[in-house]
């Protein structure tokens, strides 16, 4: 039995109020009373009750009306109606409006105790289920993060090795291509071919640099930072690109945000990657609209980047943060952008996640813990 439960008895009959108050208190409950709807609403606004025993037939405000108010206040509170008229309609109406049950006056106290206990158990059960659901959600999110970080760490080591091995031969290819280009006796076609070799090698070098960056497990700098000016400066960098792509950019970024601890250039790279992806997702099709929002939520600072691009199908949403996962045509994306972002945000003890709907758009959110001065 939930003896800590607080019960509110609402009845215009002083005798019944006193009796119930006395009897329920004897059972160990904490009881309060109200003589009418107004007083009841005042008490309900001031403190939380787990159970309300409410008379249906009262002058001024009837029990059904009070029940409606209660439902608006707190959907968790259980309500048992007490009716002297016992018309089935009253009872049905009360149950429809969310009452747990009703008792008919004059009632047997033992029955009322049992009903009260059952209703309180139901409330407890509902709260436990809600808590369990919340815990399950958190566990699933943590598990996803763990899988992702293990995957990243494994691939990171491999990538670093491969990138190092490729760097030297590639420098050779580029160096010799440059040497060849200095030869005055080349035909136009030969020159064009060697230039292609050089340009393609340069592309490889960019990929290798990205790989190294992705795999470099170096800790980010620990600067005390305000993300707002950093974000605004990053937006300035891409504004021109967005305007030439005819994308509407709207931003709700306050001039300052609570400080965080981090690496400005790494975080700027996160925002740039997210903005680039958004622009690419909005290319072609309907008019692009990008909404950037930043603010504080609890002990975190968030930056949200919402586009109305082609969206991400559900079945690949958990793959997009994997290195080399790309849906772009060969030669257009390496699939490293988001995995780099994920790694950076993770090293900042933050979170990066996506919500997306195909054809409607995608929203990427970065959350970083607020710096707490010791
Ligand atoms: N805003 C977005 N809208 C729709 N899909 C997106 C968005 N951002 C990322 N994606 C999807 O996630 C995939 C991986 O993104 P990621 O940035 O890691 O690589 P990429 O953009 O394909 O290549 P890279 O960034 O290396 O040039 C993309 O290919 C795309 O399918
Ligand atoms: Mg990208």
């Amino acid at each position: 039995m939930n003896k800590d439960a607080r019960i509110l008895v609402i009845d215009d009959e002083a005798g019944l109020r006193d009796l119930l108050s006395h009897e329920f208190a004897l059972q160990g409950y904490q009881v309060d009373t109200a003589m009418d709807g107004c007083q009841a609403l005042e008490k309900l606004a001031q403190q939380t009750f787990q159970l309300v025993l409410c008379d249906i037939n009262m002058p001024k405000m009837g029990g059904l009306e009070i029940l409606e108010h209660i439902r608006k206040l707190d959907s968790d509170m259980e309500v048992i109606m007490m009716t002297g008229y016992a018309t089935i309609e009253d009872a049905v109406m009360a149950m429809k409006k969310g009452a747990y049950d009703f008792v008919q006056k004059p009632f047997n106290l033992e029955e009322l105790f049992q009903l009260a206990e059952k209703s309180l158990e139901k409330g407890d059960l509902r709260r436990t289920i809600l808590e369990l659901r919340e815990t399950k959600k958190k566990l699933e999110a943590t598990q996803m993060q763990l899988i992702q970080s293990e995957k990243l760490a494994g691939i990171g080591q491999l990538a670093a090795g491969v990138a190092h091995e490729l760097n030297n031969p590639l420098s050779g290819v580029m160096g010799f291509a440059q040497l060849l280009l200095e030869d005055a006796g080349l035909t136009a076609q030969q020159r064009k071919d060697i230039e292609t070799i050089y340009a393609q090698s340069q592309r490889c070098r960019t990929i290798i640099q990205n790989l190294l960056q992705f795999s470099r497990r170096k800790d980010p700098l620990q600067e005390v930072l305000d993300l707002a000016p950093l974000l605004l400066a990053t937006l300035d960098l891409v504004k021109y690109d967005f305007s030439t792509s005819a994308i509407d950019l709207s931003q709700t970024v306050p001039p300052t945000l609570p400080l965080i601890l981090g690496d400005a250039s790494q975080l700027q790279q996160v925002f740039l990657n997210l903005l680039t992806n958004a622009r690419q997702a909005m290319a072609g099709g309907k008019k692009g609209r990008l909404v950037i929002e930043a603010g504080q939520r609890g002990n975190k600072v968030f930056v949200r980047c919402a586009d109305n691009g082609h969206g991400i199908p559900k079945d690949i949403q958990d793959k997009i943060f994997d290195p080399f996962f790309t849906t772009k045509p060969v030669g257009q994306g390496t699939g490293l952008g988001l995995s780099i972002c994920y790694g950076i945000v993770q090293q900042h003890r933050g979170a990066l996640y996506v919500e997306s709907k195909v054809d409607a758009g995608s929203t990427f959110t970065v959350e970083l813990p607020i710096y707490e001065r010791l």
Side-chain angles (χ1 to χ4, degrees):
M1 191 191 279
N2 185 352
K3 292 293 188 189
D4 292 333
R6 297 183 66 83
I7 300 181
L8 179 65
V9 177
I10 312 168
D11 203 306
D12 56 331
E13 273 180 59
L16 192 66
R17 265 197 327 266
D18 292 345
L19 173 78
L20 289 178
S21 168
H22 182 251
E23 292 296 328
F24 272 95
L26 278 183
Q27 296 287 314
Y29 294 104
Q30 300 183 49
V31 193
D32 203 346
T33 58
M35 57 190 278
D36 56 27
C38 287
Q39 202 182 28
L41 294 184
E42 263 173 38
K43 295 203 170 181
L44 285 164
Q46 279 162 10
Q47 49 185 308
T48 322
F49 294 91
Q50 279 72 48
L51 174 63
V52 175
L53 300 174
C54 183
D55 188 16
I56 284 196
N57 191 35
M58 284 186 291
K60 288 196 268 185
M61 197 184 295
L64 289 177
E65 198 182 332
I66 297 176
L67 178 63
E68 271 177 28
H69 280 291
I70 289 177
R71 280 290 154 255
K72 275 185 216 150
L73 269 181
D74 177 359
S75 56
D76 251 12
M77 216 178 312
E78 298 298 342
V79 182
I80 295 175
M81 307 304 293
M82 304 182 286
T83 173
Y85 290 96
T87 58
I88 198 73
E89 292 95 283
D90 277 351
V92 170
M93 184 57 89
M95 306 279 277
K96 268 191 191 157
K97 290 190 177 184
Y100 174 74
D101 210 337
F102 75 100
V103 284
Q104 198 174 319
K105 287 182 188 173
F107 44 76
N108 173 316
L109 264 179
E110 223 17 77
E111 262 174 43
L112 185 58
F113 289 153
Q114 278 178 17
L115 205 57
E117 202 179 318
K118 266 203 244 158
S119 71
L120 286 168
E121 275 169 12
K122 183 185 157 215
D124 282 348
L125 207 64
R126 199 174 35 208
R127 273 185 289 279
T128 311
I129 290 173
L130 280 180
E131 278 167 23
L132 278 176
R133 274 199 200 129
E134 262 318 292
T135 313
K136 183 168 170 258
K137 242 201 250 167
K138 278 189 199 149
L139 268 177
E140 279 171 355
T142 314
Q143 194 187 21
M144 278 297 295
Q145 299 242 345
L146 272 176
I147 293 174
Q148 192 65 22
S149 51
E150 269 178 30
K151 228 189 294 183
L152 290 193
I155 296 173
Q157 268 178 345
L158 182 72
V162 173
H164 268 295
E165 287 305 310
L166 287 182
N167 236 350
N168 287 341
L170 191 66
S171 304
V173 172
M174 291 179 80
F176 280 109
Q178 262 178 322
L179 264 183
L180 281 175
L181 283 173
E182 282 167 17
D183 185 347
L186 290 177
T187 66
Q189 185 57 45
Q190 283 169 332
R191 181 167 298 280
K192 212 172 139 235
D193 290 349
I194 300 169
E195 276 168 355
T196 309
I197 292 174
Y198 189 74
Q200 292 298 326
S201 314
Q202 242 174 347
R203 213 172 90 71
C204 290
R205 193 160 68 176
T206 311
I207 296 174
I208 288 174
Q209 272 163 358
N210 275 343
L211 263 177
L212 279 173
Q213 177 155 27
F214 158 71
S215 59
R216 215 181 292 141
R217 298 260 117 197
K218 82 163 193 227
D219 290 336
L221 286 179
Q222 301 268 298
E223 303 161 311
V224 178
L225 287 177
D226 184 343
L227 270 192
L230 184 77
L231 181 61
L232 290 169
T234 315
L235 286 171
D236 277 344
L237 284 180
V238 298
K239 253 183 199 146
Y240 179 74
D241 267 355
F242 277 78
S243 68
T244 54
S245 310
I247 291 170
D248 269 349
L249 179 66
S250 90
Q251 61 196 56
T252 318
V253 182
T256 63
L257 280 167
L259 299 175
I260 59 136
L261 213 53
D263 187 316
S265 73
Q266 286 191 7
L267 291 170
Q268 182 163 48
Q269 195 189 352
V270 171
F271 300 139
L272 269 178
N273 274 336
L274 295 181
L275 292 165
T276 307
N277 280 347
R279 184 166 54 79
Q280 289 164 340
M282 292 186 289
K286 59 185 177 239
K287 173 143 183 74
R289 203 159 34 78
L290 184 71
V291 183
I292 307 291
E293 250 183 292
Q296 173 181 2
R297 196 162 42 196
N299 54 356
K300 288 176 187 141
V301 171
F302 72 88
V303 174
R304 198 176 296 134
C305 177
D307 65 58
N308 66 343
H310 54 64
I312 307 168
K314 267 254 158 326
D315 57 324
I316 65 163
Q317 278 180 22
D318 57 346
K319 299 200 179 79
I320 58 171
F321 298 102
D322 288 352
F324 304 113
F325 179 84
T326 182
T327 55
K328 286 164 195 166
V330 177
Q332 280 189 28
T334 55
L336 278 175
L338 282 179
S339 55
I340 292 176
C341 295
Y342 193 93
I344 293 176
V345 173
Q346 203 186 32
Q347 284 192 305
H348 281 77
R349 298 174 196 286
L352 168 62
Y353 54 86
V354 65
E355 292 149 288
S356 182
K357 210 167 155 210
V358 171
D359 291 337
S362 312
T363 302
F364 282 83
T365 308
V366 177
E367 282 176 358
L368 296 169
I370 291 174
Y371 170 55
E372 280 164 19
R373 232 177 280 265
L374 294 173

